[in-house]
Amino acid sequence: MRMTSPALTLRQARSHLLEHGDCPTGSIDERIARSWQRSLASGLHPTGRLINSEPSSGSSLRNALACNHDLLAHSRPVMDYLFEQVHHSHSMVILADKRAMLIHTLGDVDFLTKAERVALASGSSWQEQHRGTNAIGTALAEACSIEINGGEHFLERNGFLTCAAAPIMSANGELMGVIDISGDQRSRHPHTLGLVSMAARMIENRLVIAACRQHIRLHLHAQPEGIGSVAEGIIALSEDGWIVGANRNGLALLHLASLDLNATPLTRIIDMPLDALLARHQRHPELPIQIHLHDGTALFVQVHSEHAAQIIAQPAMSVPMPNDALSSLDTGDARWHNATEKARRIAGKPIPLLIHGESGVGKELFARAVHDSGPHHKGPFVAINCAALPENLIEAELFGYAPGAFTGARREGNPGRLREAHGGTLFLDEIGDMPLPMQTRLLRVLQERQVTPLGGGRPVDVDFALICATHCKLREETEKGSFRSDLYYRINGLTLTLPALRERNDFQALTERMLADINPDRNIYLAPVLLEHLCRHPWPGNLRQFASVLRTASAMLNPNEDCINWPHLPDDLIEELNAIPQQEKLPVTDRITQNLKELSIVAIQQSLESSRGNISAAARQLGISRQTLYRKLNN
């Protein structure tokens, strides 16, 4: 019978190893090549006798079982589940400790006899130095999941085996042991390695939760549905916010290594302080919280802590944050926070503020907060939209007029908006749309600090803080001649650019604040899946558009509802949201740790998504009545 190419490659690599002490580069998997060399260096020969073939004594096994009590306790349920998946496949499930001693096995009866011939039984050691290249020993040596099939075993006597093993890590990053599936090579399955890797992650999750019960735990994933599944990340925090434990998924999601444990504060990784995270958890304990890493990556987090309230109540050791109108608008976005910090520094100083930003980003809201946070807060805040005033009225509106100044003028005259702002703040919105003649008169007022009303009269002194806003690029407008350059330099004391809603990384916190403002007497929140969809919407109307959506959705809630979901949205928005490409969802098989209630919630959410929020269609998909679906949505 002609030898297959992989088998021939293995035989040639083995011959080269025995003759030259190494394997030809690229001939076989580098991890197997390294393991073969370690096996040879330990004095083993592929066809020779074992150096230590005797199983450990009963006392050694009892000692190993005692030392690995937690590992064994949390692995047994997972091993039982794993064995159900491979039952009747001529194989066995094995748990080994960090010294490669087998401490628990489950196997098919028809395979156990063969397994016993090569000491695949509790109490035996499968370290590489004792058994050569094998999945258990090599997974421990390489600290990674690995599959060793047939002739890849160093000892020819083990060549009938196919083995897949995955290491199990503790909450502090230490190697605790290995879970393995070993079987007859003829029954090899391509998904076995993935199965044991998943089992290892399940065990790790159980170990982390058990070891960190007294710590604050963050369960996180890129999608809210991933929290609670085997794919979730888990990190444990000290009360002062340092990362003291994690599973491998948690480390990977935060771009950390096990060496970073006990050496990294949470604030170095994410954009939200721990006390703010815990405070939001207190308001909505079951609602995943969206956070962002400092590189912009978005994650969803669910907090588990028995001591959250006490931690929040502890006095902060850092510099206290200002408690003013600007801070109430600061919900975590870095660019918005930077703008508030700069604006706060010029409050009360004779420096005009120029705010750039798209229509609807909250320029007037920001300007009013600057006024309320500064020394002029007791004076008037006069807002004028230069784009909304008719050109023939803007001069009289701004500068006022004397009695009888023109036909239709009020008999007593009008002081004008500039004089009304005396002692407070003048906010000129969309100043880029101001006609050129008015720009000339405004420049004179700003230079002389005096207003002369239309129709004559003596100039009146004015003193106000000046804030202007525009969606235009005024520098380009000055180059085109549509905006006076001398006025531009007069109003451009400090320029700030507010981010568009689609650019902000504080979407969930911002949503919570807006909902609290809209519903001051109710604790209203967004369903996590809907929140994720809304977060990806481009929002061309920015905060103005989003606030309108939230007000409408809030009005659609029944008196006993507190969760905004698809049925509460306008039809046109549902169409827009469903037109946005969605991130790939977790397959159902990855949610094996979820309970029936969670699966029911996911099924309802998916039905509502596929039916674009149509309750009747979603109910038909689920095989339940509309009334039942409404009741489940309200629970």
Side-chain angles (χ1 to χ4, degrees):
M1 181 177 177
R2 185 177 179 183
M3 190 174 293
T4 61
S5 178
L8 177 60
T9 300
L10 283 171
R11 185 175 293 276
Q12 290 173 341
R14 190 186 300 275
S15 297
H16 193 280
L17 173 72
L18 296 176
E19 184 175 350
H20 301 286
D22 59 15
C23 298
T25 303
S27 59
I28 60 174
D29 187 302
E30 292 183 359
R31 297 170 300 172
I32 295 175
R34 289 194 295 268
S35 178
W36 279 9
Q37 289 177 267
R38 289 193 296 267
S39 301
L40 189 66
S42 296
L44 296 174
H45 190 277
T47 59
R49 296 181 59 185
L50 297 180
I51 295 176
N52 180 11
S53 60
E54 295 297 323
S56 300
S57 65
S59 60
S60 296
L61 177 58
R62 286 192 296 272
N63 183 60
L65 292 173
C67 292
N68 293 280
H69 176 271
D70 289 343
L71 173 64
L72 189 58
H74 292 290
S75 298
R76 280 182 184 271
V78 178
M79 292 179 70
D80 291 340
Y81 167 80
L82 194 57
F83 185 57
E84 290 178 8
Q85 314 309 307
V86 299
H87 195 38
H88 302 309
S89 63
H90 309 289
S91 59
M92 62 190 302
V93 179
I94 301 169
L95 179 68
D97 68 8
K98 62 184 179 182
R99 294 188 299 274
M101 178 185 286
L102 278 52
I103 58 177
H104 187 52
T105 62
L106 298 170
D108 287 331
V109 175
D110 60 351
F111 182 71
L112 288 179
T113 303
K114 290 183 179 180
E116 288 173 356
R117 289 206 304 263
V118 291
L120 273 175
S122 295
S124 298
S125 171
W126 277 75
Q127 289 186 26
E128 280 186 341
Q129 65 190 65
H130 298 152
R131 306 285 172 178
T133 302
N134 70 90
I136 294 172
T138 304
L140 286 169
E142 294 284 334
C144 69
S145 300
I146 194 167
E147 184 175 22
I148 306 295
N149 185 51
E152 292 174 340
H153 289 86
F154 184 76
L155 300 181
E156 291 185 3
R157 67 198 306 266
N158 296 331
F160 74 96
L161 292 170
T162 180
C163 308
I168 300 169
M169 312 299 290
S170 71
N172 57 12
E174 293 182 357
L175 191 58
M176 294 188 72
V178 165
I179 188 166
D180 167 271
I181 295 178
S182 293
D184 192 305
Q185 182 193 6
R186 294 170 296 181
S187 301
R188 181 192 182 196
H189 195 284
H191 298 313
T192 304
L193 184 60
L195 200 58
V196 294
S197 296
M198 183 183 72
R201 298 303 173 96
M202 292 172 68
I203 296 169
E204 288 177 354
N205 291 0
R206 294 167 61 92
L207 286 166
V208 171
I209 292 172
C212 301
R213 292 193 187 280
Q214 300 305 313
H215 291 285
I216 306 162
R217 294 196 319 277
L218 304 185
H219 293 238
L220 41 94
H221 197 273
Q223 296 152 3
E225 305 95 328
I227 296 174
S229 75
V230 69
E232 73 174 348
I234 305 173
I235 64 171
L237 303 173
S238 63
E239 291 190 356
D240 55 354
W242 288 72
I243 301 174
V244 295
N247 67 354
R248 278 185 285 176
N249 286 344
L251 292 174
L253 286 169
L254 300 183
H255 312 310
L256 299 175
S258 57
L259 292 176
D260 296 314
L261 297 175
N262 294 293
T264 306
L266 183 66
T267 51
R268 189 183 298 168
I269 307 300
I270 73 170
D271 63 353
M272 186 181 299
L274 178 58
D275 56 352
L277 194 64
L278 294 177
R280 289 170 63 181
H281 162 68
Q282 287 290 102
R283 291 196 297 271
H284 302 295
E286 302 302 322
L287 186 65
I289 300 167
Q290 189 178 46
I291 61 170
H292 288 81
L293 307 187
H294 289 311
D295 65 3
T297 303
L299 295 174
F300 285 89
V301 170
Q302 196 161 51
V303 179
H304 293 260
S305 174
E306 300 175 0
H307 312 294
Q310 295 91 320
I311 295 169
I312 295 171
Q314 290 177 358
M317 298 302 293
S318 57
V319 177
M321 294 294 293
N323 184 21
D324 55 20
L326 281 169
S327 65
S328 69
L329 297 180
D330 187 356
T331 49
D333 178 76
R335 289 176 61 186
W336 188 281
H337 175 74
N338 186 50
T340 62
E341 288 294 295
K342 290 181 176 179
R344 191 178 281 115
R345 290 173 187 169
I346 67 165
K349 299 176 181 177
I351 300 174
L353 176 62
L354 177 60
I355 305 173
H356 283 276
E358 295 179 8
S359 179
V361 297
K363 297 188 290 292
E364 182 173 348
L365 192 69
F366 187 89
R368 186 175 292 274
V370 172
H371 167 76
D372 291 340
S373 301
H376 291 92
H377 67 277
K378 293 184 179 180
F381 177 81
V382 177
I384 303 171
N385 189 329
C386 301
L389 288 174
E391 187 170 344
N392 61 330
L393 295 180
I394 189 171
E395 185 174 16
E397 182 74 15
L398 285 177
F399 304 102
Y401 52 84
F406 54 88
T407 302
R410 292 192 310 191
R411 185 181 308 170
E412 67 276 15
N414 187 343
R417 305 303 302 278
L418 295 183
R419 287 174 62 184
E420 289 178 4
H422 180 71
T425 298
L426 175 68
F427 174 59
L428 298 177
D429 197 7
E430 300 303 350
I431 193 172
D433 295 324
M434 178 178 284
L436 277 170
M438 295 305 99
Q439 293 179 27
T440 302
R441 287 208 61 185
L442 177 62
L443 177 62
R444 187 177 302 117
V445 170
L446 298 179
Q447 289 173 336
E448 299 174 0
R449 289 287 170 174
Q450 288 184 330
V451 174
T452 303
L454 293 176
R458 60 185 182 83
V460 179
D461 292 339
V462 289
D463 179 27
F464 49 71
L466 178 65
I467 303 178
C468 300
T470 180
H471 69 281
C472 304
K473 295 183 178 179
L474 286 187
R475 186 185 296 276
E476 295 179 4
E477 298 300 313
T478 62
E479 294 172 356
K480 292 187 298 185
S482 58
F483 196 85
R484 292 185 60 110
S485 58
D486 47 3
L487 177 60
Y488 170 70
Y489 292 117
R490 172 68 66 173
I491 66 176
N492 183 23
L494 171 67
T495 295
L496 299 175
T497 301
L498 299 183
L501 179 56
R502 64 182 176 276
E503 299 171 345
R504 296 180 63 156
N505 58 16
D506 60 344
F507 190 84
Q508 182 173 354
L510 176 64
T511 302
E512 291 178 2
R513 181 185 64 77
M514 293 173 71
L515 284 172
D517 291 342
I518 295 169
N519 307 279
D521 301 323
R522 299 174 65 183
N523 195 14
I524 306 301
Y525 64 95
L526 286 177
V529 172
L530 177 58
L531 175 68
E532 185 181 2
H533 281 71
L534 292 173
C535 187
R536 289 197 291 269
H537 191 274
W539 297 110
N542 290 293
L543 289 179
R544 187 180 297 119
Q545 179 190 8
F546 188 39
S548 176
V549 167
L550 294 180
R551 278 193 295 269
T552 302
S554 297
M556 293 295 104
L557 290 169
N558 291 326
N560 61 340
E561 289 183 302
D562 57 6
C563 177
I564 294 175
N565 215 322
W566 291 92
H568 306 112
L569 299 184
D571 292 344
D572 58 340
L573 180 61
I574 292 175
E575 292 180 7
E576 292 174 10
L577 294 177
N578 281 287
I580 301 173
Q582 303 300 320
Q583 297 177 0
E584 184 179 352
K585 300 294 183 183
L586 288 173
V588 174
T589 52
D590 281 349
R591 303 190 184 119
I592 58 177
T593 60
Q594 293 179 320
N595 59 34
L596 290 176
K597 182 178 179 180
E598 292 169 330
L599 291 175
S600 174
I601 292 171
V602 171
I604 290 172
Q605 291 170 342
Q606 290 175 344
S607 296
L608 287 170
E609 290 176 24
S610 64
S611 64
R612 301 191 176 190
N614 186 307
I615 288 290
S616 298
R620 284 195 298 271
Q621 289 181 21
L622 294 166
I624 58 179
S625 68
R626 293 172 73 251
Q627 290 76 15
T628 301
L629 179 53
Y630 272 120
R631 188 171 64 252
K632 288 182 177 293
L633 286 171
N634 293 332
N635 286 341

